[in-house]
Amino acid sequence: MRKVNPSLSAFLRECNEVLLARSAKGFPFSVIDSREKTEMLIQEFVTDIPDIDCVMDAEIYTAGYNVPVRIFNPNPGQTLPVLVYFHGGGHMAGSVKAYDPICRKMAINTQHIVVAGEYRLAPENLYPANIEDACAVVRGIWATLDRQNVDYRKTLSVAGDSAGGSLSASVSHLAQFDRGIDIEKQILIYPCVDYVARYESYNENGVGYLLEADMCTWFFDKYFREGQCRKAASPLHMDFTANLPQTLVITAEFCPLRDEGKIYYEKVKSLGIHAENVHFEDAIHGFLNIEDLVRETCMKAYSSINRFLNG
């Protein structure tokens, strides 16, 4: 019997009432509103913001768009490995500023230097602009850390949630054929890895659990140009070779993207690559962004990521 975490009942009821009222008034989804809600959600429900020894801002220099990054170093006195993190938000919302507390927790829990990239957002910058930015971050990471005089171990992993999980996976797939990028591990948190399929989880979880199926469709329509091949842009349909990094996929039972995340994990595992799927039976999409409501779930997620990276 599927049952969502009881601590989410009041939160989901309020969210659903707001969506129903907006729909009744004929209000469409809005880019500005989506961005505001993403930032407000984290501000309201991720209130435990830990101190961290060193936080600094820098840029990854490229021939086109210089990608701003924020560097979170939990222990400058040690030589630590590096984790590049891409935030979620449907490719059109979210920011390094909004995800600052989550990146702090990621750095402290994993004892990795976390580098969060401020990739360009749709609809102002359509696919593949943010893929280019993500690749630029992983290519330029060592030179940037050198400029900032950061002491690091040259071991690179990538991570991201939702759309950021898609970016992480896309970079990992492209890195299979790029000797200039060496990614040891990837962590995909309730990732979007298929822009064309509609699995059973879209039917089971498409209404009532914060991220809704019609929202996903709207996000994708704002992300791609008319006529672009969405299947080719989907990590689940890219080349799978033995050069993919070790993979951790975190999924949530009440998430529309649940099934594609599990299928992605199975495809990586079938290659003989070390792969893990940590599944949360009572969780919804985006649970890291509402930590105060599901603190135990979030702590288990951070612990799983730490064990995967450092095990």
Side-chain angles (χ1 to χ4, degrees), residues 60-105:
I60 302 284
Y61 297 140
T62 72
Y65 171 70
N66 292 336
V67 185
V69 295
R70 179 162 289 175
I71 302 164
F72 302 83
N73 191 343
N75 197 336
Q78 291 189 10
T79 303
L80 300 178
V82 176
L83 175 66
V84 168
Y85 193 87
F86 299 111
H87 66 77
H91 298 293
M92 72 164 57
S95 66
V96 171
K97 176 188 174 185
Y99 271 73
D100 182 281
I102 293 171
C103 291
R104 287 170 181 257
K105 293 170 190 287

Side-chain angles (χ1 to χ4, degrees), residues 41-50 101 105 291-292 295:
L41 197 69
I42 297 174
Q43 287 176 3
E44 183 174 356
F45 293 109
V46 186
T47 57
D48 174 26
I49 304 175
K105 293 170 190 287
E291 179 183 286
D292 291 354
R295 190 171 297 276

